[in-house]
Amino acid sequence: MTQANAPSPAADLARAGGPSSPARSTLVVTAHAGDFVWRAGGAIALAASRGEEVTIACLTFGERGESAKAWREGKKLDEIKAIRRDEAERAAATLGAGVRFFDAGDYPLVATAELTDKLVEVYRETQPDVVLTHPTEDPYNGDHPAANHMALQARVLAQAIGYPGPGEIIGAPPVFYFEPHQPEMSGFRPEVLLDITEVWETKRKAMECLGAQEHLWDYYTDLAVRRGVQLKRNAGPNLGLAHKTMAEAYMRPYPQIAKELA
C-alpha cells in the first residue's frame, strides 16, 4: 500500500524511518506504573529496537489500587510508591524507553486542568509520531478513562497555536488504544493486531520487573498467545500450522488517512 504521510495502522506502530530520517517519537500516556508494560510493552520494545524515542508519561504509581501485595506485607504509602517507581523504571529501561512520573495519585486519578497542562508540555517537547493510551471505557477502573481523557485533551491543546506554554505546536499524531484487562466489558475491539514476536522475550522480562503484580505475568503471556493466533488467522490462509506468534491488540479512535485501501 502506497500512501502519502499516512501509513497503515500496523505501519503506524511498526515502520522504521530511513537512514536519513529523524528519530520517530512515541508517547505513551498511562494511568499506573504497570499499565504500559502489560498493555503496550511489545509496541514500546519494537519502537525502541528501531532507534525511536519512546517516552512514557506515568500519571500515578498505582500505589493504592494496584499494589495489594505490598499493602498486605505491611508497607507504608511512601514505601509502596518507591517500590512501584523502581519497578516501572526497571521495566521501562528493559523495553528501551524513558519514563516520567507525575505522582498524581490513584484510586481515584482525577482529571485536572493542571495535569492536562503538564501533558501538553510533554506533547510539545516530544513531538510524538504515535500516541498510545487507555481506551475511553473501563467499568472496573475509573483511573484508565481519566488518563484517556487527559491524553486526548492534551493532544488537542498541544496543536493549538494560541494555547499558552513552552514548545512548538504538534501535528495530529495517530492514537492507539491499548487493550484493557477486561476488553469485553470495556467496549474494546481488536482493530489492529501488532506482531511482537521478535521482542516478546524483552516484554516478558519487563513484566517480570513488576513484582508487585506478579499474578498478572501469566495472564498477559496467555493474552499475547491468543492475540498471536488471531493475527495469524487474519494474515493469510488459515492452514492450521503450528506457530509461536505473539501479538498485542489496539483500537483507533481517529480515522486512518489513506489514498489506497488495504
Side-chain angles (χ1 to χ4, degrees):
M1 178 176 180
T2 302
Q3 302 175 351
N5 299 320
S8 68
D12 274 332
L13 281 167
R15 76 178 178 86
S20 61
S21 301
R24 281 169 53 86
S25 172
T26 295
L27 176 61
V28 185
V29 181
T30 178
H32 309 109
D35 293 336
F36 70 89
V37 183
W38 314 122
R39 282 71 183 262
I44 293 169
L46 281 172
S49 73
R50 297 188 298 268
E52 297 185 22
E53 296 290 334
V54 183
T55 303
I56 300 162
C58 188
L59 301 180
T60 85
F61 296 113
E63 64 272 15
R64 295 186 184 278
E66 303 199 345
S67 304
K69 179 181 177 182
W71 284 106
R72 291 194 183 103
E73 292 172 350
K75 299 290 194 303
K76 304 301 182 184
L77 182 61
D78 288 345
E79 293 178 284
I80 295 171
K81 284 185 178 183
I83 290 169
R84 298 314 308 275
R85 181 185 188 114
D86 175 68
E87 289 182 350
E89 287 177 339
R90 288 188 289 111
T94 298
L95 296 171
V99 59
R100 305 182 188 189
F101 300 99
F102 291 75
D103 194 13
D106 69 327
Y107 278 63
L109 168 64
V110 178
T112 66
E114 179 183 12
L115 194 51
T116 301
D117 193 56
K118 291 179 180 178
L119 284 175
V120 171
E121 291 186 21
V122 175
Y123 270 95
R124 288 182 171 179
E125 178 187 342
T126 61
Q127 294 288 312
D129 296 284
V130 172
V131 176
L132 310 180
T133 193
H134 300 270
T136 58
E137 299 178 40
D138 191 336
Y140 295 96
N141 195 323
D143 291 358
H144 297 157
N148 165 279
H149 175 77
M150 288 185 284
L152 296 192
Q153 180 72 354
R155 174 183 174 275
V156 171
L157 297 176
Q159 297 176 61
I161 194 168
Y163 189 82
E168 296 294 326
I169 62 171
I170 67 169
V175 177
F176 293 85
Y177 293 164
F178 40 66
E179 185 165 4
H181 189 67
Q182 298 198 47
E184 300 87 351
M185 300 299 295
S186 302
F188 182 88
R189 298 179 65 238
E191 297 171 338
V192 179
L193 294 171
L194 181 69
D195 190 335
I196 62 168
T197 308
E198 67 184 84
V199 295
W200 167 250
E201 291 303 323
T202 300
K203 177 173 179 175
R204 176 70 193 201
K205 289 177 181 176
M207 287 164 53
E208 292 175 359
C209 292
L210 304 176
Q213 294 178 285
E214 184 176 350
H215 61 287
L216 294 178
W217 296 359
D218 289 342
Y219 178 91
Y220 280 98
T221 297
D222 292 342
L223 180 60
V225 172
R226 293 198 302 276
R227 292 309 188 195
V229 171
Q230 293 170 351
L231 185 151
K232 294 296 288 186
R233 178 64 182 85
N234 286 276
N238 183 21
L239 302 179
L241 300 177
H243 63 87
K244 295 183 179 179
T245 307
M246 307 294 269
E248 290 173 344
Y250 294 86
M251 283 182 66
R252 295 197 69 157
Y254 300 112
Q256 174 190 347
I257 307 305
K259 289 188 175 180
E260 298 177 19
L261 297 178

PDB file of all heavy atoms in Angstrom, residues 198-219:
ATOM      1  N   GLU A 198       9.176 -10.823  17.816  1.00  0.00           N
ATOM      2  CA  GLU A 198      10.624 -10.602  17.889  1.00  0.00           C
ATOM      3  C   GLU A 198      11.071  -9.930  19.178  1.00  0.00           C
ATOM      4  O   GLU A 198      12.244  -9.997  19.543  1.00  0.00           O
ATOM      5  CB  GLU A 198      11.101  -9.788  16.686  1.00  0.00           C
ATOM      6  CG  GLU A 198      10.594  -8.355  16.658  1.00  0.00           C
ATOM      7  CD  GLU A 198      11.024  -7.633  15.400  1.00  0.00           C
ATOM      8  OE1 GLU A 198      10.332  -7.770  14.365  1.00  0.00           O
ATOM      9  OE2 GLU A 198      12.050  -6.915  15.456  1.00  0.00           O
ATOM     10  N   VAL A 199      10.139  -9.288  19.875  1.00  0.00           N
ATOM     11  CA  VAL A 199      10.510  -8.624  21.124  1.00  0.00           C
ATOM     12  C   VAL A 199       9.767  -9.224  22.322  1.00  0.00           C
ATOM     13  O   VAL A 199       9.776  -8.639  23.405  1.00  0.00           O
ATOM     14  CB  VAL A 199      10.229  -7.104  21.054  1.00  0.00           C
ATOM     15  CG1 VAL A 199      11.110  -6.430  20.009  1.00  0.00           C
ATOM     16  CG2 VAL A 199       8.751  -6.826  20.795  1.00  0.00           C
ATOM     17  N   TRP A 200       9.142 -10.383  22.117  1.00  0.00           N
ATOM     18  CA  TRP A 200       8.364 -10.950  23.204  1.00  0.00           C
ATOM     19  C   TRP A 200       9.202 -11.202  24.455  1.00  0.00           C
ATOM     20  O   TRP A 200       8.783 -10.903  25.575  1.00  0.00           O
ATOM     21  CB  TRP A 200       7.671 -12.247  22.788  1.00  0.00           C
ATOM     22  CG  TRP A 200       7.139 -12.962  23.999  1.00  0.00           C
ATOM     23  CD1 TRP A 200       7.584 -14.116  24.555  1.00  0.00           C
ATOM     24  CD2 TRP A 200       6.117 -12.474  24.880  1.00  0.00           C
ATOM     25  NE1 TRP A 200       6.900 -14.406  25.710  1.00  0.00           N
ATOM     26  CE2 TRP A 200       5.992 -13.406  25.928  1.00  0.00           C
ATOM     27  CE3 TRP A 200       5.292 -11.353  24.867  1.00  0.00           C
ATOM     28  CZ2 TRP A 200       5.072 -13.247  26.963  1.00  0.00           C
ATOM     29  CZ3 TRP A 200       4.380 -11.193  25.907  1.00  0.00           C
ATOM     30  CH2 TRP A 200       4.270 -12.131  26.931  1.00  0.00           C
ATOM     31  N   GLU A 201      10.390 -11.755  24.296  1.00  0.00           N
ATOM     32  CA  GLU A 201      11.217 -12.041  25.467  1.00  0.00           C
ATOM     33  C   GLU A 201      11.573 -10.766  26.217  1.00  0.00           C
ATOM     34  O   GLU A 201      11.666 -10.760  27.449  1.00  0.00           O
ATOM     35  CB  GLU A 201      12.487 -12.797  25.052  1.00  0.00           C
ATOM     36  CG  GLU A 201      12.223 -14.218  24.563  1.00  0.00           C
ATOM     37  CD  GLU A 201      11.493 -15.073  25.590  1.00  0.00           C
ATOM     38  OE1 GLU A 201      11.780 -14.931  26.807  1.00  0.00           O
ATOM     39  OE2 GLU A 201      10.628 -15.873  25.191  1.00  0.00           O
ATOM     40  N   THR A 202      11.750  -9.674  25.490  1.00  0.00           N
ATOM     41  CA  THR A 202      12.010  -8.381  26.133  1.00  0.00           C
ATOM     42  C   THR A 202      10.792  -7.948  26.939  1.00  0.00           C
ATOM     43  O   THR A 202      10.923  -7.490  28.084  1.00  0.00           O
ATOM     44  CB  THR A 202      12.352  -7.321  25.079  1.00  0.00           C
ATOM     45  OG1 THR A 202      13.514  -7.730  24.364  1.00  0.00           O
ATOM     46  CG2 THR A 202      12.614  -5.970  25.727  1.00  0.00           C
ATOM     47  N   LYS A 203       9.606  -8.093  26.352  1.00  0.00           N
ATOM     48  CA  LYS A 203       8.389  -7.723  27.080  1.00  0.00           C
ATOM     49  C   LYS A 203       8.226  -8.589  28.322  1.00  0.00           C
ATOM     50  O   LYS A 203       7.883  -8.079  29.406  1.00  0.00           O
ATOM     51  CB  LYS A 203       7.166  -7.847  26.182  1.00  0.00           C
ATOM     52  CG  LYS A 203       5.865  -7.547  26.942  1.00  0.00           C
ATOM     53  CD  LYS A 203       4.639  -7.492  26.052  1.00  0.00           C
ATOM     54  CE  LYS A 203       3.387  -7.221  26.890  1.00  0.00           C
ATOM     55  NZ  LYS A 203       2.182  -7.037  26.069  1.00  0.00           N
ATOM     56  N   ARG A 204       8.466  -9.876  28.189  1.00  0.00           N
ATOM     57  CA  ARG A 204       8.319 -10.759  29.342  1.00  0.00           C
ATOM     58  C   ARG A 204       9.296 -10.364  30.464  1.00  0.00           C
ATOM     59  O   ARG A 204       8.927 -10.356  31.648  1.00  0.00           O
ATOM     60  CB  ARG A 204       8.564 -12.204  28.912  1.00  0.00           C
ATOM     61  CG  ARG A 204       8.538 -13.227  30.049  1.00  0.00           C
ATOM     62  CD  ARG A 204       7.157 -13.436  30.629  1.00  0.00           C
ATOM     63  NE  ARG A 204       7.223 -14.168  31.893  1.00  0.00           N
ATOM     64  CZ  ARG A 204       6.219 -14.837  32.444  1.00  0.00           C
ATOM     65  NH1 ARG A 204       5.049 -14.878  31.845  1.00  0.00           N
ATOM     66  NH2 ARG A 204       6.373 -15.466  33.587  1.00  0.00           N
ATOM     67  N   LYS A 205      10.528 -10.010  30.102  1.00  0.00           N
ATOM     68  CA  LYS A 205      11.493  -9.568  31.116  1.00  0.00           C
ATOM     69  C   LYS A 205      11.011  -8.288  31.803  1.00  0.00           C
ATOM     70  O   LYS A 205      11.184  -8.125  33.016  1.00  0.00           O
ATOM     71  CB  LYS A 205      12.863  -9.348  30.481  1.00  0.00           C
ATOM     72  CG  LYS A 205      13.570 -10.632  30.070  1.00  0.00           C
ATOM     73  CD  LYS A 205      14.885 -10.348  29.381  1.00  0.00           C
ATOM     74  CE  LYS A 205      15.563 -11.641  28.944  1.00  0.00           C
ATOM     75  NZ  LYS A 205      16.824 -11.366  28.181  1.00  0.00           N
ATOM     76  N   ALA A 206      10.411  -7.387  31.023  1.00  0.00           N
ATOM     77  CA  ALA A 206       9.873  -6.153  31.609  1.00  0.00           C
ATOM     78  C   ALA A 206       8.713  -6.476  32.547  1.00  0.00           C
ATOM     79  O   ALA A 206       8.593  -5.880  33.625  1.00  0.00           O
ATOM     80  CB  ALA A 206       9.428  -5.201  30.508  1.00  0.00           C
ATOM     81  N   MET A 207       7.860  -7.414  32.157  1.00  0.00           N
ATOM     82  CA  MET A 207       6.765  -7.828  33.016  1.00  0.00           C
ATOM     83  C   MET A 207       7.292  -8.361  34.346  1.00  0.00           C
ATOM     84  O   MET A 207       6.733  -8.089  35.415  1.00  0.00           O
ATOM     85  CB  MET A 207       5.918  -8.897  32.314  1.00  0.00           C
ATOM     86  CG  MET A 207       5.060  -8.350  31.194  1.00  0.00           C
ATOM     87  SD  MET A 207       4.417  -9.621  30.048  1.00  0.00           S
ATOM     88  CE  MET A 207       3.632 -10.765  31.170  1.00  0.00           C
ATOM     89  N   GLU A 208       8.379  -9.098  34.280  1.00  0.00           N
ATOM     90  CA  GLU A 208       8.934  -9.699  35.488  1.00  0.00           C
ATOM     91  C   GLU A 208       9.620  -8.684  36.393  1.00  0.00           C
ATOM     92  O   GLU A 208      10.000  -9.019  37.520  1.00  0.00           O
ATOM     93  CB  GLU A 208       9.883 -10.833  35.106  1.00  0.00           C
ATOM     94  CG  GLU A 208       9.135 -12.018  34.487  1.00  0.00           C
ATOM     95  CD  GLU A 208      10.048 -13.123  33.993  1.00  0.00           C
ATOM     96  OE1 GLU A 208      11.300 -12.965  34.114  1.00  0.00           O
ATOM     97  OE2 GLU A 208       9.537 -14.135  33.470  1.00  0.00           O
ATOM     98  N   CYS A 209       9.761  -7.451  35.923  1.00  0.00           N
ATOM     99  CA  CYS A 209      10.223  -6.369  36.798  1.00  0.00           C
ATOM    100  C   CYS A 209       9.124  -5.939  37.764  1.00  0.00           C
ATOM    101  O   CYS A 209       9.405  -5.296  38.785  1.00  0.00           O
ATOM    102  CB  CYS A 209      10.662  -5.152  35.973  1.00  0.00           C
ATOM    103  SG  CYS A 209      12.153  -5.394  34.991  1.00  0.00           S
ATOM    104  N   LEU A 210       7.879  -6.270  37.445  1.00  0.00           N
ATOM    105  CA  LEU A 210       6.732  -5.809  38.214  1.00  0.00           C
ATOM    106  C   LEU A 210       6.334  -6.858  39.250  1.00  0.00           C
ATOM    107  O   LEU A 210       5.286  -7.510  39.143  1.00  0.00           O
ATOM    108  CB  LEU A 210       5.565  -5.501  37.274  1.00  0.00           C
ATOM    109  CG  LEU A 210       5.862  -4.479  36.161  1.00  0.00           C
ATOM    110  CD1 LEU A 210       4.675  -4.325  35.244  1.00  0.00           C
ATOM    111  CD2 LEU A 210       6.269  -3.136  36.752  1.00  0.00           C
ATOM    112  N   GLY A 211       7.164  -7.001  40.270  1.00  0.00           N
ATOM    113  CA  GLY A 211       6.906  -7.989  41.301  1.00  0.00           C
ATOM    114  C   GLY A 211       5.645  -7.723  42.092  1.00  0.00           C
ATOM    115  O   GLY A 211       5.025  -8.647  42.624  1.00  0.00           O
ATOM    116  N   ALA A 212       5.234  -6.461  42.179  1.00  0.00           N
ATOM    117  CA  ALA A 212       4.023  -6.117  42.926  1.00  0.00           C
ATOM    118  C   ALA A 212       2.775  -6.695  42.279  1.00  0.00           C
ATOM    119  O   ALA A 212       1.739  -6.829  42.930  1.00  0.00           O
ATOM    120  CB  ALA A 212       3.891  -4.606  43.052  1.00  0.00           C
ATOM    121  N   GLN A 213       2.869  -7.039  40.998  1.00  0.00           N
ATOM    122  CA  GLN A 213       1.719  -7.595  40.282  1.00  0.00           C
ATOM    123  C   GLN A 213       2.094  -8.905  39.585  1.00  0.00           C
ATOM    124  O   GLN A 213       1.698  -9.170  38.454  1.00  0.00           O
ATOM    125  CB  GLN A 213       1.194  -6.578  39.273  1.00  0.00           C
ATOM    126  CG  GLN A 213       0.612  -5.322  39.910  1.00  0.00           C
ATOM    127  CD  GLN A 213       0.156  -4.319  38.872  1.00  0.00           C
ATOM    128  OE1 GLN A 213       0.979  -3.647  38.244  1.00  0.00           O
ATOM    129  NE2 GLN A 213      -1.139  -4.205  38.687  1.00  0.00           N
ATOM    130  N   GLU A 214       2.813  -9.735  40.281  1.00  0.00           N
ATOM    131  CA  GLU A 214       3.282 -10.999  39.710  1.00  0.00           C
ATOM    132  C   GLU A 214       2.124 -11.855  39.204  1.00  0.00           C
ATOM    133  O   GLU A 214       2.279 -12.650  38.267  1.00  0.00           O
ATOM    134  CB  GLU A 214       4.094 -11.764  40.751  1.00  0.00           C
ATOM    135  CG  GLU A 214       4.712 -13.056  40.229  1.00  0.00           C
ATOM    136  CD  GLU A 214       5.593 -13.745  41.255  1.00  0.00           C
ATOM    137  OE1 GLU A 214       5.881 -13.142  42.316  1.00  0.00           O
ATOM    138  OE2 GLU A 214       5.990 -14.897  40.988  1.00  0.00           O
ATOM    139  N   HIS A 215       0.947 -11.698  39.822  1.00  0.00           N
ATOM    140  CA  HIS A 215      -0.204 -12.505  39.423  1.00  0.00           C
ATOM    141  C   HIS A 215      -0.634 -12.243  37.981  1.00  0.00           C
ATOM    142  O   HIS A 215      -1.404 -13.023  37.411  1.00  0.00           O
ATOM    143  CB  HIS A 215      -1.385 -12.226  40.359  1.00  0.00           C
ATOM    144  CG  HIS A 215      -1.855 -10.810  40.355  1.00  0.00           C
ATOM    145  ND1 HIS A 215      -1.135  -9.788  40.958  1.00  0.00           N
ATOM    146  CD2 HIS A 215      -2.958 -10.235  39.811  1.00  0.00           C
ATOM    147  CE1 HIS A 215      -1.789  -8.649  40.792  1.00  0.00           C
ATOM    148  NE2 HIS A 215      -2.893  -8.886  40.101  1.00  0.00           N
ATOM    149  N   LEU A 216      -0.131 -11.157  37.371  1.00  0.00           N
ATOM    150  CA  LEU A 216      -0.517 -10.823  36.005  1.00  0.00           C
ATOM    151  C   LEU A 216       0.467 -11.337  34.955  1.00  0.00           C
ATOM    152  O   LEU A 216       0.174 -11.251  33.757  1.00  0.00           O
ATOM    153  CB  LEU A 216      -0.661  -9.309  35.853  1.00  0.00           C
ATOM    154  CG  LEU A 216      -1.803  -8.661  36.635  1.00  0.00           C
ATOM    155  CD1 LEU A 216      -1.790  -7.148  36.439  1.00  0.00           C
ATOM    156  CD2 LEU A 216      -3.157  -9.241  36.228  1.00  0.00           C
ATOM    157  N   TRP A 217       1.597 -11.860  35.362  1.00  0.00           N
ATOM    158  CA  TRP A 217       2.602 -12.300  34.391  1.00  0.00           C
ATOM    159  C   TRP A 217       2.030 -13.337  33.422  1.00  0.00           C
ATOM    160  O   TRP A 217       2.150 -13.202  32.203  1.00  0.00           O
ATOM    161  CB  TRP A 217       3.827 -12.881  35.094  1.00  0.00           C
ATOM    162  CG  TRP A 217       4.600 -11.925  35.941  1.00  0.00           C
ATOM    163  CD1 TRP A 217       4.357 -10.597  36.139  1.00  0.00           C
ATOM    164  CD2 TRP A 217       5.745 -12.238  36.738  1.00  0.00           C
ATOM    165  NE1 TRP A 217       5.282 -10.065  37.005  1.00  0.00           N
ATOM    166  CE2 TRP A 217       6.152 -11.042  37.383  1.00  0.00           C
ATOM    167  CE3 TRP A 217       6.472 -13.398  36.983  1.00  0.00           C
ATOM    168  CZ2 TRP A 217       7.246 -10.984  38.245  1.00  0.00           C
ATOM    169  CZ3 TRP A 217       7.568 -13.357  37.835  1.00  0.00           C
ATOM    170  CH2 TRP A 217       7.944 -12.158  38.456  1.00  0.00           C
ATOM    171  N   ASP A 218       1.436 -14.378  33.956  1.00  0.00           N
ATOM    172  CA  ASP A 218       0.920 -15.446  33.096  1.00  0.00           C
ATOM    173  C   ASP A 218      -0.323 -14.997  32.331  1.00  0.00           C
ATOM    174  O   ASP A 218      -0.539 -15.413  31.189  1.00  0.00           O
ATOM    175  CB  ASP A 218       0.607 -16.692  33.922  1.00  0.00           C
ATOM    176  CG  ASP A 218       1.862 -17.395  34.407  1.00  0.00           C
ATOM    177  OD1 ASP A 218       2.947 -17.129  33.847  1.00  0.00           O
ATOM    178  OD2 ASP A 218       1.766 -18.211  35.343  1.00  0.00           O
ATOM    179  N   TYR A 219      -1.130 -14.140  32.957  1.00  0.00           N
ATOM    180  CA  TYR A 219      -2.339 -13.658  32.282  1.00  0.00           C
ATOM    181  C   TYR A 219      -1.971 -12.959  30.976  1.00  0.00           C
ATOM    182  O   TYR A 219      -2.562 -13.222  29.912  1.00  0.00           O
ATOM    183  CB  TYR A 219      -3.111 -12.703  33.202  1.00  0.00           C
ATOM    184  CG  TYR A 219      -4.348 -12.117  32.571  1.00  0.00           C
ATOM    185  CD1 TYR A 219      -5.585 -12.738  32.702  1.00  0.00           C
ATOM    186  CD2 TYR A 219      -4.285 -10.932  31.824  1.00  0.00           C
ATOM    187  CE1 TYR A 219      -6.728 -12.197  32.106  1.00  0.00           C
ATOM    188  CE2 TYR A 219      -5.412 -10.398  31.228  1.00  0.00           C
ATOM    189  CZ  TYR A 219      -6.632 -11.041  31.380  1.00  0.00           C
ATOM    190  OH  TYR A 219      -7.750 -10.511  30.777  1.00  0.00           O
TER     191      TYR A 219
END
